[in-house]
Amino acid sequence: EPPGAAPRPAVHTHTRLLSTRRLLRASSLDHPRGRSSTMGISRDSKHKRRLTGGKHPKYRKKRKFELGRPAANTKLGPKLVRSIRVRGGNHKTRGIRLETGNFSWTSEAVALKTRVLNVVYNASNNELVRTNTLVKGTIIQIDATRFRQWYLGHYGVEIGKKTKKELEEGEEVTKLSASVQRKQKSRATKRVLDKNLEDLFNSGRLLAKIASRPGQSGRCDGYILEGKELDFYQKAMQKKKKAAK
């Protein structure tokens, strides 16, 4: 130091080491090959063994087109979706939380938007039921009100229990024209309603299966269970309840 200059503050060795590590970390991230050294989710099959148990030769590192992303684990709640840029400049819609969806009543050839109420069964994992996670193939409970109202307008036949609000407003009867009444009467002669499905309408909740992929499309769409498929899942749910006891 030159004579008369102010003395430099003492820097501890530990502090110097920390600053050096930070600089090295920053430079490695800036470097084009720096990111490849970090761990990431990969969808390649190069790391898997042969059918006989032998290892494949490792002749290259991970590639961008083999990357995977963390699972969305879409939950039941107020709608929240995120847009993600993916390969080719395309976009996926990642569902974080969803509470409504379009559900099809296959036998009646009608689809309506309704609320998702609860997750009741998942063949792959009970934990997804406990945490109300929405994935493709999950069995859920949906609100039956929209479908009951449609059934009344289409056939002129009331099914299921009425809500308290509807009972209070029950005095007001909607007047229908003669042509509409004839249409409803003609349709009612051919209508068929499954007994188990009618019981679900009385409870106010229908069982439905998710057919879309909420984590990929940001939508929770599906179809109402009926017939043999409804019987199968009702038995499966009862079996799981007994096993839990």
Side-chain angles (χ1 to χ4, degrees):
E1 291 182 6
R8 291 181 184 178
V11 180
H12 296 290
T13 311
H14 179 66
T15 312
R16 282 179 180 169
L17 281 170
L18 282 174
S19 59
T20 311
R21 283 174 187 169
R22 284 181 192 137
L23 284 169
L24 286 169
R25 196 179 297 133
S27 61
S28 67
L29 290 174
D30 292 336
H31 196 274
R33 292 186 181 178
R35 292 181 187 277
S36 63
S37 62
T38 58
M39 291 297 290
I41 300 170
S42 182
R43 298 179 68 246
D44 70 319
S45 58
K46 307 296 177 189
H47 65 281
K48 297 200 174 224
R49 288 174 178 261
R50 293 190 176 97
L51 187 65
T52 54
K55 286 185 177 181
H56 285 288
K58 189 176 180 182
Y59 62 90
R60 73 176 189 198
K61 292 189 177 181
K62 294 179 181 180
R63 295 290 186 265
K64 172 75 172 174
F65 56 79
E66 293 172 341
L67 69 79
R69 295 184 183 87
N73 291 328
T74 309
K75 303 297 181 186
L76 184 61
K79 186 177 179 180
L80 177 65
V81 295
R82 293 277 185 265
S83 182
I84 300 172
R85 186 198 179 279
V86 295
R87 187 170 165 82
N90 299 307
H91 281 82
K92 285 182 180 179
T93 309
R94 181 81 77 231
I96 309 300
R97 294 193 305 267
L98 295 170
E99 61 180 351
T100 58
N102 290 328
F103 291 90
S104 170
W105 190 353
T106 314
S107 62
E108 296 293 344
V110 63
L112 298 168
K113 185 178 180 180
T114 187
R115 287 188 307 123
V116 178
L117 301 175
N118 194 17
V119 176
V120 291
Y121 181 79
N122 191 305
S124 63
N125 193 349
N126 282 337
E127 193 68 10
L128 299 178
V129 178
R130 189 185 68 80
T131 55
N132 277 338
T133 305
L134 303 173
V135 295
K136 184 177 178 179
T138 302
I139 307 302
I140 56 174
Q141 285 182 336
I142 60 172
D143 189 9
T145 308
R146 291 292 304 279
F147 291 97
R148 189 168 50 75
Q149 290 170 346
W150 175 86
Y151 202 87
L152 176 61
H154 192 72
Y155 291 110
V157 178
E158 288 188 10
I159 53 172
K161 292 180 180 179
K162 288 186 175 181
T163 62
K164 190 176 180 182
K165 187 179 179 182
E166 288 172 332
L167 288 169
E168 290 171 358
E169 297 172 356
E171 303 294 329
E172 301 173 11
V173 179
T174 309
K175 292 183 180 180
L176 302 173
S177 64
S179 63
V180 172
Q181 288 179 6
R182 281 197 301 272
K183 281 181 185 177
Q184 287 182 342
K185 194 175 180 180
S186 173
R187 291 168 186 157
T189 55
K190 299 174 185 177
R191 79 180 184 93
V192 178
L193 186 63
D194 186 38
K195 179 67 173 64
N196 288 345
L197 191 59
E198 191 173 359
D199 292 340
L200 290 175
F201 267 110
N202 289 331
S203 69
R205 296 180 172 213
L206 301 176
L207 290 178
K209 188 174 185 177
I210 299 175
S212 65
R213 300 170 71 192
Q216 304 290 321
S217 63
R219 298 178 66 88
C220 181
D221 300 336
Y223 59 92
I224 293 172
L225 296 178
E226 50 187 333
K228 289 183 178 179
E229 193 174 13
L230 176 60
D231 297 340
F232 172 82
Y233 280 111
Q234 283 181 329
K235 285 176 184 176
M237 284 188 281
Q238 287 174 0
K239 192 176 179 181
K240 275 203 171 183
K241 279 183 182 177
K242 286 179 181 177
K245 289 178 182 178

